[in-house]
Amino acid sequence: MLYAIIGEDVPGSLEKRLAARPAHLERLKALQDEGRMIVAGPCPAIDSPDPGPAGFSGSLIVAEFPSLEDAQTWADADPYVAAGVYARVTIKPFKKVFPS
């Protein structure tokens, strides 16, 4: 099943985010290599693809996991969680409709 993993950043977490980014991307690449990644990326804090020092307000990952518990376990081990980037992470089952 697909799950949406929505991470909400702590205000002012850009430095922590940048420091943890290589390890975070490595885990996302593993999901992609396994064919389980649908989409992933950050949410700029301002209306710009490159928010500069404004940073990001969070991230969205939609990927396939065997269960909600597995998605939660994976999300809990994210380097952004360990680095204190995320204030909270919400995980919801996701049903892809488009593109078909």
Side-chain angles (χ1 to χ4, degrees):
M1 172 133 193
L2 297 178
Y3 294 90
I5 301 171
I6 304 146
E8 297 177 53
D9 283 21
V10 171
S13 62
L14 183 58
E15 282 188 39
K16 291 178 183 179
R17 178 182 269 274
L18 293 175
R21 187 170 190 263
H24 173 77
L25 293 180
E26 186 176 311
R27 296 179 80 236
L28 294 177
K29 177 84 168 83
L31 284 179
Q32 179 178 310
D33 291 348
E34 294 166 8
R36 298 169 44 201
M37 174 64 67
I38 302 302
V39 67
C43 302
I46 60 173
D47 190 12
S48 172
D50 181 4
F56 299 91
S57 63
S59 302
L60 169 67
I61 300 164
V62 178
E64 184 178 357
F65 292 91
S67 68
L68 179 61
E69 182 179 333
D70 289 327
Q72 182 71 59
T73 299
W74 185 90
D76 288 346
D78 193 294
Y80 283 175
V81 171
V85 173
Y86 290 151
R88 75 186 126 285
V89 176
T90 303
I91 302 170
K92 298 180 180 187
F94 182 82
K95 181 178 177 182
K96 181 182 174 204
V97 176
F98 290 103
S100 54

